[in-house]
Amino acid sequence: DAKKLNTTQTVIIFVTNEVGIGILSLPAALNTLGFFPGIVAIIGMGMLSLYTAYNLIQYWRKYPYMLNIVDYGRVLGGPWLELVFAIGFLINMALISASAVVTISIGLNTVSDHATCTVAFTVVAAIAMWAMCVPHSMRFVSWASWPCTISIFAAVMFVMIVLGVQGPRNAGAPLNLKAIGSPTFTEAVAAFLNIAFAF
């Protein structure tokens, strides 16, 4: 079928999501929670994700015409629950898009070395987000995922190589590793939600 993704296209979408979100958010979450609570949270969310995936597969086998969460809402509770799921899905997508727009505008502010054009950068980011959403195709998402994955991987490797060659600025400074962190409630919830979002 021409509309279906092949295995490589599907894998690159998942790798982009996991690498992009994981590399950028998990180190900060581990720093906040501490090594051991962070690892427990990562393993716990991983197990929950696997269990959820298993249940979704079983549900899809019983109702193969299900395509998205809005369809699940219709089957579970009729048109009213379908409406609730649809509104929740739209809010989720709007917040994810807003997060990307803010991130892009901050990046452009950082590269330009001044913040006088924040509104212009936000407009540029919003237009770029809109343009990337015009093709309603997972094949396009797969194609667009390659540069994302390569750029994130290159940035991480660049930092690792530079740190390996240069070494730390102050070799005598203690490592900032915490077995168990001491975050506030808000910091702990934010760190855990970053781990949850990565899954």
Side-chain angles (χ1 to χ4, degrees):
D1 191 345
K3 293 185 177 182
K4 291 186 178 178
L5 295 174
N6 62 35
T7 304
T8 305
Q9 292 168 329
T10 306
V11 166
I12 194 63
I13 290 173
F14 283 122
V15 166
T16 300
N17 285 330
E18 293 305 317
V19 169
I21 296 171
I23 283 181
L24 300 177
S25 67
L26 292 183
L30 285 171
N31 186 48
T32 301
L33 296 173
F35 184 76
F36 292 113
I39 293 297
V40 167
I42 289 170
I43 291 171
M45 285 305 302
M47 299 293 285
L48 183 61
S49 293
L50 285 173
Y51 178 70
T52 303
Y54 173 77
N55 281 322
L56 285 174
I57 288 169
Q58 299 307 315
Y59 196 83
W60 180 80
R61 285 179 179 157
K62 188 171 183 181
Y63 303 101
Y65 53 88
M66 297 285 107
L67 298 176
N68 55 46
I69 195 159
V70 179
D71 292 337
Y72 290 122
R74 183 176 62 251
V75 169
L76 291 173
W80 288 104
L81 193 58
E82 178 185 18
L83 178 65
V84 170
F85 277 37
I87 291 170
F89 184 72
L90 288 174
I91 291 171
N92 181 46
M93 291 295 106
L95 292 175
I96 289 172
S97 298
S99 172
V101 167
V102 169
T103 303
I104 292 169
S105 63
I106 290 171
L108 291 173
N109 271 337
T110 303
V111 170
S112 68
D113 205 25
H114 63 82
T116 56
C117 299
T118 302
V119 173
F121 288 147
T122 303
V123 170
V124 167
I127 291 171
M129 290 287 299
W130 174 81
M132 294 294 283
C133 291
V134 168
H136 296 288
S137 163
M138 288 304 286
R139 284 183 180 271
F140 175 77
V141 173
S142 174
W143 174 82
S145 295
W146 281 99
C148 298
T149 301
I150 292 168
S151 63
I152 290 170
F153 181 76
V156 170
M157 291 306 295
F158 179 77
V159 171
M160 289 173 62
I161 291 168
V162 168
L163 290 175
V165 171
Q166 285 184 340
R169 290 183 184 174
N170 181 5
L175 292 175
N176 188 20
L177 295 175
K178 297 177 265 187
I180 297 176
S182 55
T184 65
F185 178 76
T186 305
E187 292 170 343
V189 169
F192 182 77
L193 289 178
N194 278 336
I195 293 171
F197 188 64
F199 278 101

